[in-house]
Amino acid sequence: NAGVMQNPRHLVRRRGQEARLRCSPMKGHSHVYWYRQLPEEGLKFMVYLQKENIIDESGMPKERFSAEFPKEGPSILRIQQVVRGDSAAYFCASSPPGLAGGDEQYFGPGTRLTVT
Amino acid sequence: DAKTTQPPSMDCAEGRAANLPCNHSTISGNEYVYWYRQIHSQGPQYIIHGLKNNETNEMASLIITEDRKSSTLILPHATLRDTAVYYCIVRGVVASGTYKYIFGTGTRLKVLA
């Protein structure tokens, strides 16, 4: 059973460009979470999605950031007009469907975004 | 904001038990305690979780105090590969369906040869 897949693993963008980060959850998982980790800091929650629905986006910056999890295909985290402060590691996690409080999240290897 | 407090760093001799403490004094009755670790800059790896009772799996043991205000992760025989940042996370089941983890700064465990 393949784990959570993220691509690309490394992404370099110039200021003002767009960054698209992809996440394929584990097979059978329908919950996806995105986290951001700045250098030497812990992970910060950004957004929680289920298929075709954004459930909690309380950690998303108000501008330039968006996320989706379509019925078919991977979840996408999109950053428009990137700035140097967006440079970070972006991690995706997935968990199984259902409301069981004990379900753990499985993390992908992350995408390291560098804005030059 | 994180609901947990952990020491910033700890050292442990190889082969010895590593005991990592975590305070979560504001934990609610339906909130679980999760432990993850992050090796270098890899994605966090799930270790163990619990609600009230102590738990054990092939990686570690989790001891939760009776009042649930603190817990300890025990790695019974630490190896050099256990060197990592260990995160203690309190996660609740919210009616809206939110299951986000709120990470603190974690404990940087260094296993010494």
Side-chain angles (χ1 to χ4, degrees):
Chain A
N1 187 11
V4 178
M5 310 279 283
Q6 289 189 250
N7 66 82
R9 297 290 304 277
H10 300 273
L11 182 62
V12 179
R13 285 286 179 268
R14 291 185 178 147
R15 280 179 297 171
Q17 292 185 319
E18 179 180 285
R20 282 188 179 229
L21 289 63
R22 294 174 185 77
C23 169
S24 296
M26 287 181 69
K27 187 176 181 180
H29 286 193
S30 57
H31 298 207
V32 167
Y33 316 77
W34 285 93
Y35 296 82
R36 177 166 63 175
Q37 185 174 34
L38 297 172
E40 304 302 320
E41 296 187 10
L43 282 75
K44 303 290 186 194
F45 168 80
M46 299 182 74
V47 63
Y48 161 46
L49 310 103
Q50 295 178 17
K51 286 283 187 181
E52 299 183 282
N53 284 305
I54 297 174
I55 306 301
D56 182 350
E57 56 182 344
S58 58
M60 288 280 271
K62 293 288 187 280
E63 298 176 348
R64 302 187 298 107
F65 285 73
S66 62
E68 63 176 7
F69 189 17
K71 187 177 180 181
E72 302 291 339
S75 175
I76 306 288
L77 179 67
R78 182 182 178 205
I79 311 173
Q80 295 178 292
Q81 299 175 322
V82 296
V83 300
R84 288 218 172 103
D86 296 332
S87 294
Y90 292 83
F91 292 97
C92 167
S94 73
S95 67
L99 293 177
D103 288 333
E104 59 268 26
Q105 297 178 16
Y106 296 87
F107 284 80
T111 293
R112 274 127 192 100
L113 172 66
T114 302
V115 179
T116 61
Chain B
D1 292 332
K3 299 184 70 171
T4 60
T5 304
Q6 299 176 253
S9 64
M10 291 181 64
D11 290 342
C12 177
E14 189 178 20
R16 297 288 190 133
N19 297 288
L20 291 88
C22 179
N23 287 322
H24 31 79
S25 57
T26 60
I27 194 169
S28 301
N30 64 351
E31 291 183 320
Y32 286 77
V33 178
Y34 282 74
W35 283 83
Y36 280 75
R37 70 181 182 185
Q38 188 174 27
I39 299 173
H40 297 301
S41 300
Q42 300 175 20
Q45 176 190 20
Y46 167 79
I47 301 173
I48 199 168
H49 73 278
L51 182 61
K52 296 179 182 177
N53 301 319
N54 298 337
E55 301 288 345
T56 295
N57 63 21
E58 64 278 4
M59 288 183 68
S61 295
L62 174 60
I63 308 298
I64 302 174
T65 58
E66 193 169 341
D67 63 7
R68 303 187 69 239
K69 292 183 183 299
S70 66
S71 61
T72 301
L73 177 73
I74 301 172
L75 307 179
H77 305 287
T79 70
L80 297 178
R81 286 178 292 182
D82 292 322
T83 293
V85 178
Y86 286 77
Y87 294 101
C88 170
I89 301 162
V90 167
R91 195 206 83 170
V93 179
V94 180
S96 65
T98 295
Y99 301 106
K100 63 189 178 188
Y101 288 159
I102 300 177
F103 285 78
T105 52
T107 295
R108 189 173 295 275
L109 175 68
K110 188 174 183 180
V111 180
L112 306 173

